Amino acid sequence: MGVFKIIRISGSFLMLDYNNDEVLEEALVELEKSGANFVHFDVMDGKFVKNKTFDHKLVKKIQEKTNLMIDVHLMVEYPENVVEDYIKAGADIISVHYESTTPENLEKTLKLIKSKTVLSGVALNPETPAYKIKDLLKKDLVDVVVVMGVKPGAGGQTFIPGSAEKVAEIREMSKSVYIEVDGGVNIKNSKILRTLGANILVSGSFLFGSKNMRKTVKALKGNNYASRIKDYFTKK
Ligand code: DX5
Ligand code: ZN
């Protein structure tokens, strides 16, 4: 028996001049037309990562305008202090970093997100091993695992191959959790990521840099949106 999977695409506008309203609006129109499912918000506080980007106000502003689902990636220290702002801003997924707070507060934050019927995500830096979230998965606190394909903090970096293995490891731990891969995703590596069990692929520089965004989204999804994959991770 195979697993029936639907791949969703989340577009990151991090590399664009998002402070320019015209640029941002055009990017959102293009993203909607492309067939992408989510708009991905890379929130950085200048502490958890060096760069600083934007906050919940931009999420709210865009949420009110777009039909795309809202995928918030919090690269901030102590996300428990700000998470409610993003719930109120209308996020559909809120992901916090495993490395960004204490284990106790991480659990509390994920519980809070879930209690507001928002999908709770936990993001793993490249050096954080998959087994660290075993307990959180067991306790059913995580709806989405974000596997970072690059060091968080900047767009346009090269995919770290070990991240693909992490996707397989997490898929082995849970059949039902969404696995989102973020950073360095392109058409070439998307195939293996889909095959290993990823459901959501974030694309920034590759998608917005492509000539035909519609074609790129199709290719990232694997052309047939729902691709039947071999259930190799159950058969040993
Ligand atoms: C990295 C960000 C990613 C990144 C994706 O810190 O979390 O979302 O912007 O962009 P690309 O696809 O260019 O790696
Ligand atoms: Zn991101």
mmCIF file of all heavy atoms in Angstrom, residues 10-11 13 38-44 54-60 62-63 69-76 79 82-83 85-97 113 118-123 144 146 180 182 202:
data_model
loop_
_atom_site.group_PDB
_atom_site.id
_atom_site.type_symbol
_atom_site.label_atom_id
_atom_site.label_comp_id
_atom_site.label_asym_id
_atom_site.label_seq_id
_atom_site.Cartn_x
_atom_site.Cartn_y
_atom_site.Cartn_z
ATOM 1 N N SER A 10 4.890 26.708 0.136
ATOM 2 C CA SER A 10 4.843 27.918 0.944
ATOM 3 C C SER A 10 5.899 28.883 0.399
ATOM 4 O O SER A 10 7.081 28.571 0.377
ATOM 5 C CB SER A 10 5.138 27.531 2.406
ATOM 6 O OG SER A 10 4.912 28.607 3.267
ATOM 7 N N GLY A 11 5.465 30.053 -0.054
ATOM 8 C CA GLY A 11 6.386 30.999 -0.697
ATOM 9 C C GLY A 11 6.935 32.014 0.299
ATOM 10 O O GLY A 11 6.177 32.673 1.010
ATOM 11 N N PHE A 13 8.945 35.490 0.915
ATOM 12 C CA PHE A 13 9.318 36.738 0.227
ATOM 13 C C PHE A 13 10.512 37.422 0.892
ATOM 14 O O PHE A 13 10.802 38.584 0.632
ATOM 15 C CB PHE A 13 8.110 37.689 0.188
ATOM 16 C CG PHE A 13 7.532 37.983 1.550
ATOM 17 C CD1 PHE A 13 8.090 38.967 2.347
ATOM 18 C CD2 PHE A 13 6.452 37.253 2.035
ATOM 19 C CE1 PHE A 13 7.586 39.232 3.613
ATOM 20 C CE2 PHE A 13 5.933 37.505 3.311
ATOM 21 C CZ PHE A 13 6.509 38.501 4.094
ATOM 22 N N PHE A 38 0.615 28.562 0.653
ATOM 23 C CA PHE A 38 0.886 29.395 1.832
ATOM 24 C C PHE A 38 1.779 30.571 1.456
ATOM 25 O O PHE A 38 2.576 30.476 0.522
ATOM 26 C CB PHE A 38 1.679 28.604 2.890
ATOM 27 C CG PHE A 38 0.956 27.474 3.547
ATOM 28 C CD1 PHE A 38 1.033 26.186 3.040
ATOM 29 C CD2 PHE A 38 0.222 27.683 4.709
ATOM 30 C CE1 PHE A 38 0.398 25.120 3.668
ATOM 31 C CE2 PHE A 38 -0.415 26.633 5.353
ATOM 32 C CZ PHE A 38 -0.338 25.344 4.820
ATOM 33 N N VAL A 39 1.668 31.627 2.248
ATOM 34 C CA VAL A 39 2.720 32.641 2.246
ATOM 35 C C VAL A 39 3.487 32.467 3.554
ATOM 36 O O VAL A 39 2.896 32.337 4.623
ATOM 37 C CB VAL A 39 2.161 34.071 2.023
ATOM 38 C CG1 VAL A 39 1.037 34.423 2.961
ATOM 39 C CG2 VAL A 39 3.286 35.109 2.152
ATOM 40 N N HIS A 40 4.809 32.380 3.420
ATOM 41 C CA HIS A 40 5.690 32.045 4.549
ATOM 42 C C HIS A 40 6.317 33.329 5.109
ATOM 43 O O HIS A 40 6.928 34.098 4.368
ATOM 44 C CB HIS A 40 6.778 31.097 4.024
ATOM 45 C CG HIS A 40 7.751 30.599 5.042
ATOM 46 N ND1 HIS A 40 7.531 29.455 5.773
ATOM 47 C CD2 HIS A 40 8.955 31.071 5.440
ATOM 48 C CE1 HIS A 40 8.563 29.238 6.567
ATOM 49 N NE2 HIS A 40 9.446 30.221 6.390
ATOM 50 N N PHE A 41 6.163 33.546 6.410
ATOM 51 C CA PHE A 41 6.687 34.754 7.055
ATOM 52 C C PHE A 41 7.907 34.415 7.889
ATOM 53 O O PHE A 41 7.800 33.678 8.872
ATOM 54 C CB PHE A 41 5.618 35.371 7.967
ATOM 55 C CG PHE A 41 4.459 35.971 7.228
ATOM 56 C CD1 PHE A 41 3.395 35.183 6.830
ATOM 57 C CD2 PHE A 41 4.437 37.329 6.937
ATOM 58 C CE1 PHE A 41 2.322 35.733 6.155
ATOM 59 C CE2 PHE A 41 3.367 37.893 6.262
ATOM 60 C CZ PHE A 41 2.307 37.089 5.866
ATOM 61 N N ASP A 42 9.051 34.953 7.504
ATOM 62 C CA ASP A 42 10.283 34.720 8.247
ATOM 63 C C ASP A 42 10.491 35.837 9.258
ATOM 64 O O ASP A 42 11.075 36.879 8.951
ATOM 65 C CB ASP A 42 11.467 34.626 7.273
ATOM 66 C CG ASP A 42 11.464 33.298 6.541
ATOM 67 O OD1 ASP A 42 11.388 32.257 7.221
ATOM 68 O OD2 ASP A 42 11.522 33.292 5.299
ATOM 69 N N VAL A 43 10.010 35.590 10.470
ATOM 70 C CA VAL A 43 10.101 36.598 11.529
ATOM 71 C C VAL A 43 11.440 36.425 12.256
ATOM 72 O O VAL A 43 11.712 35.355 12.815
ATOM 73 C CB VAL A 43 8.943 36.447 12.542
ATOM 74 C CG1 VAL A 43 9.049 37.520 13.630
ATOM 75 C CG2 VAL A 43 7.593 36.525 11.831
ATOM 76 N N MET A 44 12.270 37.462 12.238
ATOM 77 C CA MET A 44 13.587 37.400 12.907
ATOM 78 C C MET A 44 13.720 38.576 13.862
ATOM 79 O O MET A 44 13.344 39.698 13.523
ATOM 80 C CB MET A 44 14.704 37.474 11.863
ATOM 81 C CG MET A 44 14.612 36.400 10.789
ATOM 82 S SD MET A 44 16.011 36.470 9.669
ATOM 83 C CE MET A 44 15.437 35.351 8.375
ATOM 84 N N PHE A 54 10.535 41.576 10.440
ATOM 85 C CA PHE A 54 9.261 42.266 10.699
ATOM 86 C C PHE A 54 8.538 41.529 11.819
ATOM 87 O O PHE A 54 9.045 40.523 12.332
ATOM 88 C CB PHE A 54 8.409 42.274 9.418
ATOM 89 C CG PHE A 54 8.391 40.957 8.721
ATOM 90 C CD1 PHE A 54 7.586 39.917 9.176
ATOM 91 C CD2 PHE A 54 9.233 40.702 7.639
ATOM 92 C CE1 PHE A 54 7.587 38.682 8.566
ATOM 93 C CE2 PHE A 54 9.245 39.453 7.014
ATOM 94 C CZ PHE A 54 8.427 38.453 7.481
ATOM 95 N N ASP A 55 7.363 42.037 12.182
ATOM 96 C CA ASP A 55 6.630 41.377 13.270
ATOM 97 C C ASP A 55 5.182 41.077 12.871
ATOM 98 O O ASP A 55 4.849 41.082 11.678
ATOM 99 C CB ASP A 55 6.726 42.203 14.558
ATOM 100 C CG ASP A 55 6.081 43.576 14.412
ATOM 101 O OD1 ASP A 55 5.314 43.782 13.444
ATOM 102 O OD2 ASP A 55 6.345 44.448 15.263
ATOM 103 N N HIS A 56 4.345 40.874 13.857
ATOM 104 C CA HIS A 56 2.961 40.435 13.615
ATOM 105 C C HIS A 56 2.127 41.450 12.834
ATOM 106 O O HIS A 56 1.128 41.099 12.223
ATOM 107 C CB HIS A 56 2.296 40.143 14.960
ATOM 108 C CG HIS A 56 2.251 41.324 15.878
ATOM 109 N ND1 HIS A 56 1.153 42.112 16.004
ATOM 110 C CD2 HIS A 56 3.204 41.863 16.669
ATOM 111 C CE1 HIS A 56 1.426 43.091 16.865
ATOM 112 N NE2 HIS A 56 2.662 42.952 17.283
ATOM 113 N N LYS A 57 2.546 42.710 12.852
ATOM 114 C CA LYS A 57 1.756 43.732 12.142
ATOM 115 C C LYS A 57 1.744 43.454 10.635
ATOM 116 O O LYS A 57 0.717 43.623 9.982
ATOM 117 C CB LYS A 57 2.306 45.134 12.427
ATOM 118 C CG LYS A 57 2.067 45.558 13.867
ATOM 119 C CD LYS A 57 2.491 46.999 14.078
ATOM 120 C CE LYS A 57 3.300 47.195 15.320
ATOM 121 N NZ LYS A 57 4.713 47.095 15.336
ATOM 122 N N LEU A 58 2.875 43.027 10.122
ATOM 123 C CA LEU A 58 2.917 42.708 8.682
ATOM 124 C C LEU A 58 2.076 41.459 8.388
ATOM 125 O O LEU A 58 1.388 41.381 7.372
ATOM 126 C CB LEU A 58 4.358 42.501 8.215
ATOM 127 C CG LEU A 58 4.490 42.309 6.704
ATOM 128 C CD1 LEU A 58 4.216 43.618 5.966
ATOM 129 C CD2 LEU A 58 5.867 41.790 6.321
ATOM 130 N N VAL A 59 2.115 40.510 9.306
ATOM 131 C CA VAL A 59 1.321 39.286 9.121
ATOM 132 C C VAL A 59 -0.163 39.650 9.051
ATOM 133 O O VAL A 59 -0.894 39.198 8.162
ATOM 134 C CB VAL A 59 1.583 38.278 10.271
ATOM 135 C CG1 VAL A 59 0.684 37.058 10.128
ATOM 136 C CG2 VAL A 59 3.050 37.873 10.307
ATOM 137 N N LYS A 60 -0.592 40.504 9.965
ATOM 138 C CA LYS A 60 -2.012 40.896 10.007
ATOM 139 C C LYS A 60 -2.417 41.639 8.730
ATOM 140 O O LYS A 60 -3.465 41.373 8.137
ATOM 141 C CB LYS A 60 -2.261 41.763 11.239
ATOM 142 C CG LYS A 60 -3.732 42.057 11.470
ATOM 143 C CD LYS A 60 -3.939 42.555 12.877
ATOM 144 C CE LYS A 60 -5.325 42.841 13.305
ATOM 145 N NZ LYS A 60 -6.406 42.965 12.516
ATOM 146 N N ILE A 62 -1.143 41.482 5.746
ATOM 147 C CA ILE A 62 -1.220 40.601 4.579
ATOM 148 C C ILE A 62 -2.385 39.621 4.732
ATOM 149 O O ILE A 62 -3.097 39.337 3.767
ATOM 150 C CB ILE A 62 0.122 39.864 4.373
ATOM 151 C CG1 ILE A 62 1.183 40.894 3.970
ATOM 152 C CG2 ILE A 62 -0.013 38.763 3.323
ATOM 153 C CD1 ILE A 62 2.550 40.338 3.709
ATOM 154 N N GLN A 63 -2.575 39.133 5.928
ATOM 155 C CA GLN A 63 -3.651 38.172 6.181
ATOM 156 C C GLN A 63 -5.004 38.750 5.756
ATOM 157 O O GLN A 63 -5.861 38.038 5.229
ATOM 158 C CB GLN A 63 -3.636 37.807 7.673
ATOM 159 C CG GLN A 63 -4.460 36.620 8.070
ATOM 160 C CD GLN A 63 -5.919 36.968 8.273
ATOM 161 O OE1 GLN A 63 -6.793 36.202 7.841
ATOM 162 N NE2 GLN A 63 -6.205 38.097 8.869
ATOM 163 N N MET A 69 -2.938 30.748 2.632
ATOM 164 C CA MET A 69 -2.844 30.430 4.058
ATOM 165 C C MET A 69 -1.559 31.042 4.629
ATOM 166 O O MET A 69 -0.596 31.269 3.895
ATOM 167 C CB MET A 69 -2.862 28.917 4.269
ATOM 168 C CG MET A 69 -4.244 28.320 3.990
ATOM 169 S SD MET A 69 -4.312 26.583 4.413
ATOM 170 C CE MET A 69 -3.440 25.883 3.006
ATOM 171 N N ILE A 70 -1.601 31.298 5.928
ATOM 172 C CA ILE A 70 -0.531 32.073 6.564
ATOM 173 C C ILE A 70 0.374 31.148 7.380
ATOM 174 O O ILE A 70 -0.066 30.522 8.352
ATOM 175 C CB ILE A 70 -1.147 33.154 7.506
ATOM 176 C CG1 ILE A 70 -2.167 34.029 6.757
ATOM 177 C CG2 ILE A 70 -0.060 33.989 8.176
ATOM 178 C CD1 ILE A 70 -1.597 34.896 5.661
ATOM 179 N N ASP A 71 1.630 31.079 6.963
ATOM 180 C CA ASP A 71 2.610 30.176 7.560
ATOM 181 C C ASP A 71 3.684 31.029 8.250
ATOM 182 O O ASP A 71 4.503 31.651 7.579
ATOM 183 C CB ASP A 71 3.204 29.338 6.407
ATOM 184 C CG ASP A 71 4.327 28.425 6.833
ATOM 185 O OD1 ASP A 71 4.386 28.053 8.017
ATOM 186 O OD2 ASP A 71 5.147 28.055 5.950
ATOM 187 N N VAL A 72 3.644 31.064 9.577
ATOM 188 C CA VAL A 72 4.562 31.940 10.316
ATOM 189 C C VAL A 72 5.725 31.127 10.900
ATOM 190 O O VAL A 72 5.510 30.159 11.631
ATOM 191 C CB VAL A 72 3.820 32.684 11.458
ATOM 192 C CG1 VAL A 72 4.801 33.488 12.302
ATOM 193 C CG2 VAL A 72 2.742 33.601 10.885
ATOM 194 N N HIS A 73 6.933 31.540 10.576
ATOM 195 C CA HIS A 73 8.151 30.891 11.066
ATOM 196 C C HIS A 73 8.857 31.873 12.008
ATOM 197 O O HIS A 73 9.450 32.845 11.554
ATOM 198 C CB HIS A 73 9.024 30.543 9.846
ATOM 199 C CG HIS A 73 10.344 29.960 10.190
ATOM 200 N ND1 HIS A 73 11.401 29.916 9.296
ATOM 201 C CD2 HIS A 73 10.809 29.364 11.332
ATOM 202 C CE1 HIS A 73 12.441 29.336 9.872
ATOM 203 N NE2 HIS A 73 12.107 29.001 11.105
ATOM 204 N N LEU A 74 8.744 31.595 13.301
ATOM 205 C CA LEU A 74 9.303 32.511 14.299
ATOM 206 C C LEU A 74 10.760 32.170 14.594
ATOM 207 O O LEU A 74 11.042 31.160 15.262
ATOM 208 C CB LEU A 74 8.489 32.461 15.590
ATOM 209 C CG LEU A 74 7.053 32.980 15.531
ATOM 210 C CD1 LEU A 74 6.382 32.838 16.902
ATOM 211 C CD2 LEU A 74 7.011 34.436 15.065
ATOM 212 N N MET A 75 11.676 32.991 14.105
ATOM 213 C CA MET A 75 13.091 32.839 14.458
ATOM 214 C C MET A 75 13.374 33.901 15.511
ATOM 215 O O MET A 75 14.049 34.898 15.258
ATOM 216 C CB MET A 75 13.961 33.018 13.211
ATOM 217 C CG MET A 75 13.921 31.806 12.297
ATOM 218 S SD MET A 75 14.561 32.140 10.661
ATOM 219 C CE MET A 75 13.086 32.752 9.866
ATOM 220 N N VAL A 76 12.790 33.693 16.691
ATOM 221 C CA VAL A 76 12.911 34.669 17.783
ATOM 222 C C VAL A 76 13.217 33.928 19.079
ATOM 223 O O VAL A 76 12.816 32.778 19.253
ATOM 224 C CB VAL A 76 11.604 35.498 17.970
ATOM 225 C CG1 VAL A 76 11.197 36.189 16.683
ATOM 226 C CG2 VAL A 76 10.449 34.632 18.472
ATOM 227 N N PRO A 79 9.816 32.644 22.141
ATOM 228 C CA PRO A 79 8.609 32.911 21.333
ATOM 229 C C PRO A 79 7.336 32.979 22.173
ATOM 230 O O PRO A 79 6.339 33.570 21.732
ATOM 231 C CB PRO A 79 8.567 31.732 20.355
ATOM 232 C CG PRO A 79 9.392 30.665 20.993
ATOM 233 C CD PRO A 79 10.456 31.370 21.765
ATOM 234 N N VAL A 82 5.626 36.336 22.366
ATOM 235 C CA VAL A 82 4.998 37.017 21.215
ATOM 236 C C VAL A 82 3.961 36.166 20.495
ATOM 237 O O VAL A 82 3.236 36.664 19.623
ATOM 238 C CB VAL A 82 6.060 37.476 20.181
ATOM 239 C CG1 VAL A 82 6.979 38.530 20.776
ATOM 240 C CG2 VAL A 82 6.852 36.295 19.630
ATOM 241 N N VAL A 83 3.885 34.889 20.857
ATOM 242 C CA VAL A 83 3.084 33.967 20.043
ATOM 243 C C VAL A 83 1.618 34.397 19.934
ATOM 244 O O VAL A 83 0.988 34.247 18.874
ATOM 245 C CB VAL A 83 3.253 32.513 20.558
ATOM 246 C CG1 VAL A 83 2.547 32.299 21.881
ATOM 247 C CG2 VAL A 83 2.789 31.514 19.531
ATOM 248 N N ASP A 85 0.367 37.300 19.668
ATOM 249 C CA ASP A 85 0.207 38.331 18.627
ATOM 250 C C ASP A 85 0.006 37.684 17.252
ATOM 251 O O ASP A 85 -0.731 38.205 16.414
ATOM 252 C CB ASP A 85 1.472 39.205 18.545
ATOM 253 C CG ASP A 85 1.663 40.040 19.792
ATOM 254 O OD1 ASP A 85 0.662 40.313 20.481
ATOM 255 O OD2 ASP A 85 2.818 40.402 20.079
ATOM 256 N N TYR A 86 0.680 36.573 17.026
ATOM 257 C CA TYR A 86 0.597 35.909 15.713
ATOM 258 C C TYR A 86 -0.695 35.095 15.591
ATOM 259 O O TYR A 86 -1.229 34.939 14.503
ATOM 260 C CB TYR A 86 1.850 35.064 15.467
ATOM 261 C CG TYR A 86 3.053 35.963 15.302
ATOM 262 C CD1 TYR A 86 3.815 36.350 16.400
ATOM 263 C CD2 TYR A 86 3.375 36.495 14.062
ATOM 264 C CE1 TYR A 86 4.881 37.232 16.265
ATOM 265 C CE2 TYR A 86 4.441 37.373 13.914
ATOM 266 C CZ TYR A 86 5.184 37.739 15.017
ATOM 267 O OH TYR A 86 6.229 38.621 14.875
ATOM 268 N N ILE A 87 -1.172 34.587 16.712
ATOM 269 C CA ILE A 87 -2.469 33.906 16.703
ATOM 270 C C ILE A 87 -3.536 34.932 16.326
ATOM 271 O O ILE A 87 -4.354 34.709 15.427
ATOM 272 C CB ILE A 87 -2.768 33.266 18.083
ATOM 273 C CG1 ILE A 87 -1.763 32.145 18.372
ATOM 274 C CG2 ILE A 87 -4.203 32.739 18.133
ATOM 275 C CD1 ILE A 87 -1.807 31.607 19.799
ATOM 276 N N LYS A 88 -3.479 36.084 16.974
ATOM 277 C CA LYS A 88 -4.453 37.155 16.697
ATOM 278 C C LYS A 88 -4.324 37.691 15.277
ATOM 279 O O LYS A 88 -5.306 38.152 14.698
ATOM 280 C CB LYS A 88 -4.259 38.306 17.693
ATOM 281 C CG LYS A 88 -4.811 37.991 19.060
ATOM 282 C CD LYS A 88 -4.813 39.230 19.954
ATOM 283 C CE LYS A 88 -4.928 38.820 21.412
ATOM 284 N NZ LYS A 88 -3.966 39.539 22.273
ATOM 285 N N ALA A 89 -3.131 37.651 14.737
ATOM 286 C CA ALA A 89 -2.913 38.164 13.372
ATOM 287 C C ALA A 89 -3.498 37.237 12.307
ATOM 288 O O ALA A 89 -3.515 37.578 11.122
ATOM 289 C CB ALA A 89 -1.426 38.380 13.135
ATOM 290 N N GLY A 90 -3.953 36.049 12.724
ATOM 291 C CA GLY A 90 -4.643 35.159 11.785
ATOM 292 C C GLY A 90 -3.778 34.094 11.145
ATOM 293 O O GLY A 90 -4.065 33.633 10.030
ATOM 294 N N ALA A 91 -2.737 33.663 11.851
ATOM 295 C CA ALA A 91 -1.866 32.621 11.295
ATOM 296 C C ALA A 91 -2.587 31.277 11.201
ATOM 297 O O ALA A 91 -3.467 30.980 12.020
ATOM 298 C CB ALA A 91 -0.632 32.467 12.179
ATOM 299 N N ASP A 92 -2.228 30.492 10.193
ATOM 300 C CA ASP A 92 -2.737 29.115 10.064
ATOM 301 C C ASP A 92 -1.746 28.106 10.628
ATOM 302 O O ASP A 92 -2.147 27.075 11.164
ATOM 303 C CB ASP A 92 -3.019 28.802 8.590
ATOM 304 C CG ASP A 92 -4.132 29.676 8.049
ATOM 305 O OD1 ASP A 92 -5.277 29.474 8.487
ATOM 306 O OD2 ASP A 92 -3.859 30.587 7.239
ATOM 307 N N ILE A 93 -0.449 28.404 10.454
ATOM 308 C CA ILE A 93 0.614 27.606 11.087
ATOM 309 C C ILE A 93 1.514 28.587 11.842
ATOM 310 O O ILE A 93 1.856 29.640 11.291
ATOM 311 C CB ILE A 93 1.514 26.883 10.051
ATOM 312 C CG1 ILE A 93 0.730 25.951 9.136
ATOM 313 C CG2 ILE A 93 2.640 26.109 10.749
ATOM 314 C CD1 ILE A 93 1.603 25.301 8.035
ATOM 315 N N ILE A 94 1.870 28.236 13.074
ATOM 316 C CA ILE A 94 2.919 29.008 13.769
ATOM 317 C C ILE A 94 3.995 28.027 14.210
ATOM 318 O O ILE A 94 3.724 27.086 14.959
ATOM 319 C CB ILE A 94 2.380 29.768 15.003
ATOM 320 C CG1 ILE A 94 1.278 30.757 14.591
ATOM 321 C CG2 ILE A 94 3.524 30.514 15.705
ATOM 322 C CD1 ILE A 94 0.644 31.510 15.760
ATOM 323 N N SER A 95 5.216 28.256 13.703
ATOM 324 C CA SER A 95 6.336 27.391 14.073
ATOM 325 C C SER A 95 7.319 28.143 14.935
ATOM 326 O O SER A 95 7.703 29.273 14.618
ATOM 327 C CB SER A 95 7.046 26.880 12.818
ATOM 328 O OG SER A 95 6.138 26.150 12.025
ATOM 329 N N VAL A 96 7.713 27.485 16.030
ATOM 330 C CA VAL A 96 8.712 28.069 16.933
ATOM 331 C C VAL A 96 9.939 27.155 16.915
ATOM 332 O O VAL A 96 9.808 25.956 16.662
ATOM 333 C CB VAL A 96 8.162 28.204 18.370
ATOM 334 C CG1 VAL A 96 6.992 29.150 18.408
ATOM 335 C CG2 VAL A 96 7.753 26.853 18.962
ATOM 336 N N HIS A 97 11.087 27.718 17.179
ATOM 337 C CA HIS A 97 12.301 26.904 17.128
ATOM 338 C C HIS A 97 12.505 26.110 18.412
ATOM 339 O O HIS A 97 12.337 26.628 19.514
ATOM 340 C CB HIS A 97 13.534 27.780 16.842
ATOM 341 C CG HIS A 97 13.849 27.819 15.394
ATOM 342 N ND1 HIS A 97 14.738 26.959 14.799
ATOM 343 C CD2 HIS A 97 13.327 28.574 14.406
ATOM 344 C CE1 HIS A 97 14.780 27.203 13.501
ATOM 345 N NE2 HIS A 97 13.940 28.181 13.233
ATOM 346 N N ILE A 113 -0.780 27.276 21.077
ATOM 347 C CA ILE A 113 -1.055 27.411 19.641
ATOM 348 C C ILE A 113 -2.178 26.447 19.250
ATOM 349 O O ILE A 113 -3.161 26.825 18.603
ATOM 350 C CB ILE A 113 0.221 27.141 18.802
ATOM 351 C CG1 ILE A 113 1.304 28.184 19.111
ATOM 352 C CG2 ILE A 113 -0.102 27.133 17.312
ATOM 353 C CD1 ILE A 113 2.677 27.877 18.529
ATOM 354 N N VAL A 118 -4.830 26.680 15.746
ATOM 355 C CA VAL A 118 -3.782 27.009 14.779
ATOM 356 C C VAL A 118 -2.858 25.790 14.748
ATOM 357 O O VAL A 118 -2.699 25.114 15.775
ATOM 358 C CB VAL A 118 -3.009 28.275 15.230
ATOM 359 C CG1 VAL A 118 -1.848 28.584 14.304
ATOM 360 C CG2 VAL A 118 -3.960 29.469 15.319
ATOM 361 N N LEU A 119 -2.284 25.464 13.581
ATOM 362 C CA LEU A 119 -1.364 24.322 13.550
ATOM 363 C C LEU A 119 -0.061 24.702 14.260
ATOM 364 O O LEU A 119 0.516 25.755 13.994
ATOM 365 C CB LEU A 119 -1.073 23.886 12.114
ATOM 366 C CG LEU A 119 -2.240 23.305 11.310
ATOM 367 C CD1 LEU A 119 -1.762 22.851 9.932
ATOM 368 C CD2 LEU A 119 -2.902 22.146 12.039
ATOM 369 N N SER A 120 0.377 23.821 15.162
ATOM 370 C CA SER A 120 1.580 24.096 15.948
ATOM 371 C C SER A 120 2.790 23.478 15.260
ATOM 372 O O SER A 120 2.795 22.294 14.920
ATOM 373 C CB SER A 120 1.428 23.499 17.341
ATOM 374 O OG SER A 120 1.300 22.097 17.245
ATOM 375 N N GLY A 121 3.805 24.308 15.071
ATOM 376 C CA GLY A 121 5.011 23.807 14.413
ATOM 377 C C GLY A 121 6.226 23.943 15.296
ATOM 378 O O GLY A 121 6.352 24.890 16.075
ATOM 379 N N VAL A 122 7.132 22.973 15.173
ATOM 380 C CA VAL A 122 8.427 23.086 15.840
ATOM 381 C C VAL A 122 9.499 22.992 14.756
ATOM 382 O O VAL A 122 9.477 22.094 13.925
ATOM 383 C CB VAL A 122 8.594 22.059 16.988
ATOM 384 C CG1 VAL A 122 8.591 20.629 16.500
ATOM 385 C CG2 VAL A 122 9.864 22.317 17.772
ATOM 386 N N ALA A 123 10.388 23.996 14.756
ATOM 387 C CA ALA A 123 11.438 24.051 13.724
ATOM 388 C C ALA A 123 12.761 23.574 14.314
ATOM 389 O O ALA A 123 13.082 23.878 15.465
ATOM 390 C CB ALA A 123 11.583 25.481 13.200
ATOM 391 N N VAL A 144 3.198 20.234 12.912
ATOM 392 C CA VAL A 144 4.132 20.439 11.800
ATOM 393 C C VAL A 144 5.564 20.422 12.328
ATOM 394 O O VAL A 144 5.863 21.101 13.316
ATOM 395 C CB VAL A 144 3.904 21.835 11.135
ATOM 396 C CG1 VAL A 144 4.809 22.014 9.914
ATOM 397 C CG2 VAL A 144 2.441 22.047 10.761
ATOM 398 N N VAL A 146 9.195 21.560 11.172
ATOM 399 C CA VAL A 146 9.909 22.312 10.143
ATOM 400 C C VAL A 146 11.369 21.877 10.167
ATOM 401 O O VAL A 146 12.081 22.122 11.142
ATOM 402 C CB VAL A 146 9.803 23.835 10.363
ATOM 403 C CG1 VAL A 146 10.560 24.585 9.259
ATOM 404 C CG2 VAL A 146 8.339 24.277 10.411
ATOM 405 N N GLU A 180 7.571 20.030 7.020
ATOM 406 C CA GLU A 180 7.818 21.199 6.166
ATOM 407 C C GLU A 180 9.328 21.371 6.050
ATOM 408 O O GLU A 180 10.028 21.360 7.057
ATOM 409 C CB GLU A 180 7.168 22.423 6.831
ATOM 410 C CG GLU A 180 7.484 23.756 6.174
ATOM 411 C CD GLU A 180 6.619 24.905 6.732
ATOM 412 O OE1 GLU A 180 5.591 24.646 7.406
ATOM 413 O OE2 GLU A 180 6.982 26.065 6.497
ATOM 414 N N ASP A 182 12.388 23.833 4.960
ATOM 415 C CA ASP A 182 12.591 25.268 4.776
ATOM 416 C C ASP A 182 14.061 25.610 4.575
ATOM 417 O O ASP A 182 14.887 25.355 5.442
ATOM 418 C CB ASP A 182 12.045 26.005 6.015
ATOM 419 C CG ASP A 182 12.108 27.514 5.850
ATOM 420 O OD1 ASP A 182 12.294 27.997 4.718
ATOM 421 O OD2 ASP A 182 11.950 28.204 6.877
ATOM 422 N N VAL A 202 8.963 24.920 1.491
ATOM 423 C CA VAL A 202 9.094 26.384 1.464
ATOM 424 C C VAL A 202 10.054 26.724 0.326
ATOM 425 O O VAL A 202 11.077 26.076 0.164
ATOM 426 C CB VAL A 202 9.679 26.918 2.793
ATOM 427 C CG1 VAL A 202 9.858 28.433 2.725
ATOM 428 C CG2 VAL A 202 8.788 26.525 3.960
#
